[in-house]
Amino acid sequence: MLESWVDGVRLVDLNADENKVKVASYHPATSRADVISHVDSEAVIFSSDDLDGTISKLKKEKSCGPSPWSHELIQLCWSVDDDYLKELLLGFVSMIVNGSLACKEVWLQSSLVAFKKGDKIRPIAIGDVWIRLASKLLAKIMLPQVLAYLGGLQLGAGVKGGAEILVHLCSAVRDAIIGDKDLNLGILSIDLANAFNSIRRKCISRGIQVACRSYHRFFAWSYDEASNLLSDPWTVIARSASGVRQGDPSGPLFFCLGIAATLHKAAVEFPGVSIISFFDDINVIGEANDCILAKQWLAHEFNKIGLGVNDLKSQLFTLAEIDNSIPGSYCSWSSCWKRRLCIRET
């Protein structure tokens, strides 16, 4: 892989001691909140056409996971005009989807590469291609049930143009603030630190059982134990013991299901604000002081499921007068935004 000298990004030697420590810090140790109970659920049934649709849309890979299998090799095997081979592949993927494939500790390993820009290291995990294929197929099958449960609180999971919807909504509120249509309005963005690796698996399990119970077979099979992250075929650099596995196509849906109950509860607790998320980017829109109260409540509730709010990266956009009696209010940030707005208006 070519290193980018233009933007200062470098490939990291994961076997160096300082890099091992840094990468390991991104993967919290398991806790009792990560223990998953296996539940009875119906098997997921899919057709040869379903699998064909998923295989045909696999993109060309730049690198493989721990095994030498690739998207191109799977597509080549599937293209062979042999009904027995197709039936064999269909049964193999079905075992993964329904959590019955043996030796899962081998299949669930991921290759790890990492890049460094400045002092920040970004690890990237690449799972086995067969696991990713099965997870992608399952995510497509389960998406309608997931969206029905998430409702309008989550724009990241399977919502076409979700990012654009959020941008236009925030822009409309910003214009209302700048145009003096409602000076009490505010937009509060909440940053969750290392969210995908930190969310507790038990809360994901509960969300899956409520939204789409048959999804739980695959989740329990692939997440009830820690999986290895490899710097090479023989060296374990870290273990994925909490949160969702990076590179798992179902991972974003699992994360959204894990925080869904908290977001639904917040919507009931604070009916005067709108809470809209794009995966782990949480946005609270409404009267500024109500937004701050909602943020404090959310921070407390998120902490229960392993998520921490990064106050230094969370931002409040408002011209309203902030109530200083609110614990942890954003008075200094509000002043910062006012200065930015004044510069912008001139």
Coordinates of all heavy atoms in Angstrom, one line a residue, residues 7-40:
D7 N -0.6 14.4 2.3 CA -1.3 14.9 3.4 C -0.8 14.4 4.8 O -1.4 14.5 5.8 CB -2.8 14.4 3.3 CG -2.9 12.9 3.1 OD1 -1.9 12.2 3.3 OD2 -4.0 12.5 2.8
G8 N 0.5 13.8 4.7 CA 1.1 13.5 6.0 C 0.7 12.2 6.6 O 0.9 12.0 7.8
V9 N 0.0 11.3 5.9 CA -0.5 10.1 6.4 C 0.6 9.0 6.2 O 1.1 8.9 5.1 CB -1.8 9.6 5.8 CG1 -2.3 8.3 6.3 CG2 -2.9 10.7 6.1
R10 N 0.9 8.3 7.3 CA 1.9 7.2 7.2 C 1.3 5.9 7.7 O 0.5 5.8 8.6 CB 3.1 7.6 8.1 CG 3.8 8.9 7.7 CD 4.5 8.9 6.4 NE 5.2 10.1 6.1 CZ 4.7 11.1 5.5 NH1 3.4 11.0 5.0 NH2 5.3 12.2 5.3
L11 N 1.8 4.8 7.0 CA 1.5 3.5 7.5 C 2.3 3.2 8.8 O 3.4 3.5 8.9 CB 1.8 2.5 6.4 CG 1.3 1.0 6.6 CD1 -0.2 1.0 6.6 CD2 1.8 0.1 5.5
V12 N 1.6 2.6 9.8 CA 2.1 2.4 11.1 C 2.7 1.0 11.2 O 2.0 0.0 10.8 CB 1.1 2.7 12.2 CG1 1.6 2.3 13.6 CG2 0.8 4.2 12.2
D13 N 3.8 0.8 11.9 CA 4.3 -0.5 12.3 C 3.6 -0.9 13.5 O 3.9 -0.4 14.6 CB 5.8 -0.4 12.5 CG 6.4 -1.7 13.0 OD1 5.7 -2.8 12.9 OD2 7.6 -1.7 13.4
L14 N 2.7 -1.8 13.4 CA 1.9 -2.3 14.5 C 2.7 -3.1 15.6 O 2.2 -3.3 16.7 CB 0.7 -3.1 14.1 CG -0.4 -2.2 13.4 CD1 -1.5 -3.1 12.8 CD2 -1.1 -1.3 14.4
N15 N 3.8 -3.6 15.2 CA 4.6 -4.4 16.1 C 5.5 -3.6 17.0 O 6.1 -4.1 17.9 CB 5.5 -5.4 15.3 CG 4.6 -6.5 14.7 OD1 3.7 -7.0 15.3 ND2 4.9 -6.8 13.4
A16 N 5.6 -2.2 16.7 CA 6.3 -1.3 17.6 C 5.5 -1.2 19.0 O 4.3 -1.1 19.0 CB 6.5 0.0 17.0
D17 N 6.2 -1.2 20.1 CA 5.6 -1.3 21.4 C 4.6 -0.1 21.6 O 3.5 -0.3 22.1 CB 6.6 -1.3 22.5 CG 7.4 -2.6 22.5 OD1 6.8 -3.6 22.0 OD2 8.5 -2.7 23.1
E18 N 5.1 1.1 21.2 CA 4.2 2.3 21.5 C 3.0 2.3 20.7 O 1.9 2.7 21.1 CB 5.0 3.6 21.2 CG 5.4 3.8 19.8 CD 6.7 3.2 19.4 OE1 7.2 2.3 20.2 OE2 7.3 3.6 18.3
N19 N 3.0 1.7 19.5 CA 1.8 1.6 18.6 C 0.9 0.5 19.2 O -0.3 0.6 19.1 CB 2.2 1.3 17.2 CG 3.0 2.5 16.6 OD1 2.8 3.6 17.0 ND2 3.8 2.2 15.6
K20 N 1.5 -0.6 19.7 CA 0.6 -1.7 20.3 C -0.2 -1.1 21.4 O -1.4 -1.4 21.5 CB 1.5 -2.8 20.8 CG 2.1 -3.7 19.8 CD 2.9 -4.8 20.5 CE 3.6 -5.7 19.4 NZ 4.4 -6.8 20.1
V21 N 0.4 -0.3 22.3 CA -0.3 0.3 23.4 C -1.4 1.2 22.9 O -2.5 1.2 23.5 CB 0.7 1.0 24.3 CG1 -0.1 1.8 25.4 CG2 1.7 0.1 25.0
K22 N -1.1 2.0 21.9 CA -2.1 3.0 21.4 C -3.3 2.3 20.8 O -4.4 2.6 21.1 CB -1.4 3.9 20.4 CG -2.3 5.0 19.9 CD -2.6 6.0 21.0 CE -3.3 7.2 20.5 NZ -3.7 8.2 21.6
V23 N -3.0 1.3 20.0 CA -4.1 0.6 19.3 C -4.9 -0.2 20.4 O -6.2 -0.2 20.3 CB -3.5 -0.4 18.3 CG1 -4.6 -1.4 17.8 CG2 -2.9 0.3 17.1
A24 N -4.3 -0.8 21.3 CA -5.0 -1.5 22.4 C -5.9 -0.6 23.2 O -7.0 -1.0 23.6 CB -4.0 -2.2 23.3
S25 N -5.5 0.7 23.3 CA -6.3 1.6 24.1 C -7.7 1.9 23.4 O -8.6 2.4 24.0 CB -5.6 2.9 24.3 OG -5.4 3.6 23.1
Y26 N -7.8 1.7 22.1 CA -9.0 1.9 21.4 C -10.0 0.8 21.5 O -11.2 0.9 21.1 CB -8.7 2.0 19.9 CG -7.9 3.3 19.5 CD1 -7.0 3.2 18.4 CD2 -8.1 4.5 20.1 CE1 -6.3 4.4 18.1 CE2 -7.4 5.6 19.8 CZ -6.5 5.5 18.7 OH -5.8 6.7 18.4
H27 N -9.6 -0.3 22.2 CA -10.4 -1.5 22.3 C -10.6 -1.8 23.8 O -9.8 -2.5 24.4 CB -9.8 -2.7 21.5 CG -9.7 -2.4 20.1 ND1 -10.7 -2.6 19.2 CD2 -8.6 -2.0 19.3 CE1 -10.3 -2.2 18.0 NE2 -9.1 -1.9 18.0
P28 N -11.6 -1.3 24.4 CA -11.9 -1.5 25.9 C -12.0 -3.0 26.2 O -12.4 -3.8 25.4 CB -13.2 -0.8 26.2 CG -13.3 0.2 25.0 CD -12.7 -0.4 23.8
A29 N -11.6 -3.4 27.4 CA -11.7 -4.7 27.9 C -13.2 -5.1 28.1 O -14.1 -4.2 28.2 CB -11.0 -4.9 29.2
T30 N -13.5 -6.4 28.0 CA -14.9 -6.8 28.2 C -15.3 -6.6 29.6 O -14.5 -6.5 30.6 CB -15.0 -8.3 27.8 OG1 -16.4 -8.7 27.8 CG2 -14.3 -9.2 28.8
S31 N -16.6 -6.5 29.8 CA -17.2 -6.4 31.2 C -18.5 -7.2 31.2 O -18.9 -7.8 30.2 CB -17.5 -4.9 31.5 OG -18.6 -4.5 30.8
R32 N -19.1 -7.2 32.4 CA -20.4 -8.0 32.5 C -21.4 -7.4 31.6 O -22.4 -8.1 31.2 CB -20.8 -8.0 33.9 CG -20.1 -8.9 34.9 CD -20.6 -8.9 36.3 NE -20.5 -7.6 36.9 CZ -21.0 -7.3 38.1 NH1 -21.6 -8.2 38.8 NH2 -20.8 -6.1 38.6
A33 N -21.3 -6.1 31.2 CA -22.2 -5.5 30.3 C -22.0 -5.9 28.9 O -22.8 -5.5 28.0 CB -22.1 -3.9 30.4
D34 N -21.0 -6.7 28.6 CA -20.8 -7.2 27.3 C -21.2 -8.7 27.2 O -21.0 -9.3 26.1 CB -19.3 -7.1 26.9 CG -18.9 -5.7 26.7 OD1 -19.6 -5.0 25.9 OD2 -17.9 -5.2 27.3
V35 N -21.7 -9.3 28.3 CA -22.1 -10.7 28.3 C -23.5 -10.8 27.6 O -24.4 -10.1 28.0 CB -22.2 -11.2 29.7 CG1 -22.7 -12.7 29.7 CG2 -20.8 -11.2 30.4
I36 N -23.6 -11.6 26.6 CA -24.8 -11.8 25.8 C -25.5 -13.1 26.1 O -24.8 -14.1 26.1 CB -24.4 -11.7 24.3 CG1 -23.7 -10.4 23.9 CG2 -25.7 -11.9 23.4 CD1 -23.1 -10.4 22.5
S37 N -26.7 -13.0 26.3 CA -27.5 -14.2 26.5 C -28.1 -14.7 25.2 O -28.6 -13.9 24.4 CB -28.7 -13.9 27.5 OG -28.2 -13.5 28.8
H38 N -28.0 -16.0 24.9 CA -28.5 -16.6 23.7 C -30.0 -16.7 23.9 O -30.5 -17.2 24.9 CB -27.9 -17.9 23.4 CG -26.5 -17.8 22.9 ND1 -26.1 -18.0 21.6 CD2 -25.3 -17.4 23.6 CE1 -24.8 -17.8 21.5 NE2 -24.3 -17.5 22.7
V39 N -30.8 -16.3 22.9 CA -32.3 -16.3 23.0 C -32.8 -17.2 21.8 O -32.1 -17.3 20.8 CB -32.9 -14.9 22.9 CG1 -32.4 -14.1 24.1 CG2 -32.5 -14.2 21.6
D40 N -33.9 -17.7 22.0 CA -34.6 -18.5 20.9 C -35.1 -17.5 19.9 O -35.7 -16.5 20.2 CB -35.7 -19.3 21.5 CG -35.3 -20.4 22.4 OD1 -34.1 -20.9 22.2 OD2 -36.0 -20.8 23.3

